[in-house]
Amino acid sequence: SQTIHQWPATLVQPVGSPLSLECTVEGTSNPNLYWYRQAAGRGLQLLFYSVGIGQISSEVPQNLSASRPQDRQFILSSKKLLLSDSGFYLCASRRLAGALEQYFGPGTRLTVT
Amino acid sequence: GQNIDQPTEMTATEGAIVQINCTYQTSGFNGLFWYQQHAGEAPTFLSYNVLDGLEEKGRFSSFLSRSKGYSYLLLKELQMKDSASYLCAVSADYKLSFGAGTTVTVRA
């Protein structure tokens, strides 16, 4: 079974500072990878997804970007954080072969002050 | 796009049964998923329906009617640990769109 790692677990950053969140996946190859954000008391919003190395699709226009430098590594970045970027960031993985369900990493809780 | 509706909150007694309804409108339907999310934690996968009918997994069952754009999650023999948010998600084009979630509170 696959295991998804995210770090850091918690982050407090000032407005205007840069951001880098990392997600790595073990136990599967060529997964589809996803970044979601969950604002307090809200549902999950899909931010980016990737079907392979260097292939990124953006779902919501914003000041965030994503990259996939390796098959099982997915990075979420920002050059300048906004207050509205605060939230719970979740990385998810779906195996290409088999069922369609996605499995989530433990998440990063970001507070922009 | 997707439009997914589920109730905001439900309360039930320990040992009882609760049914969480989910209605959706979508194009390119691949399947419907239910996730459980405890406060402060990541969602965990519960069930998946791609064809009409009932899928049973222990105390949890999920039903799908594609023609009606309707699903429900049935939680039986409720336990205190079942207090959580339950997320309905629709897969289209191999991407998931989530409802806002239903917070279930189990009381003794």
Side-chain angles (χ1 to χ4, degrees), chain B residues 32-45:
Chain B
L32 188 134
F33 298 78
W34 285 95
Y35 285 81
Q36 181 190 59
Q37 186 177 25
H38 285 101
E41 298 181 7
T44 55
F45 170 71

Side-chain angles (χ1 to χ4, degrees), chain A residues 32 34 36 38 42-44 46 49 59 88 90 94 99-107 109, chain B residues 30-31 33 35 37 40-45 48 87 91 93-101:
Chain A
N32 282 4
Y34 306 83
Y36 292 88
Q38 188 175 37
R42 305 285 296 276
L44 275 73
L46 178 62
Y49 71 95
E59 289 294 298
F88 191 34
L90 292 154
R94 181 180 79 81
L100 296 177
E101 66 266 23
Q102 295 178 17
Y103 292 91
F104 287 85
R109 192 162 303 280
Chain B
N30 299 133
F33 298 78
Y35 285 81
Q37 186 177 25
E41 298 181 7
T44 55
F45 170 71
Y48 163 54
L87 311 178
S91 177
D93 297 327
Y94 304 103
K95 295 179 288 184
L96 288 182
S97 295
F98 285 83

Side-chain angles (χ1 to χ4, degrees), chain B residues 16-95:
Chain B
I17 298 173
V18 69
Q19 177 174 314
I20 306 169
N21 295 323
C22 172
T23 58
Y24 65 90
Q25 295 175 311
T26 186
S27 56
F29 180 83
N30 299 133
L32 188 134
F33 298 78
W34 285 95
Y35 285 81
Q36 181 190 59
Q37 186 177 25
H38 285 101
E41 298 181 7
T44 55
F45 170 71
L46 287 179
S47 69
Y48 163 54
N49 295 70
V50 64
L51 300 175
D52 291 353
L54 188 67
E55 295 281 344
E56 297 189 81
K57 271 188 176 184
R59 294 188 299 113
F60 294 174
S61 303
S62 56
F63 171 83
L64 175 67
S65 169
R66 288 172 296 170
S67 62
K68 295 182 179 178
Y70 169 70
S71 173
Y72 67 73
L73 179 69
L74 197 67
L75 286 63
K76 305 174 192 172
E77 302 171 16
L78 280 172
Q79 302 175 10
M80 298 301 289
K81 67 178 182 179
D82 297 329
S83 291
S85 181
Y86 292 84
L87 311 178
C88 173
V90 173
S91 177
D93 297 327
Y94 304 103
K95 295 179 288 184

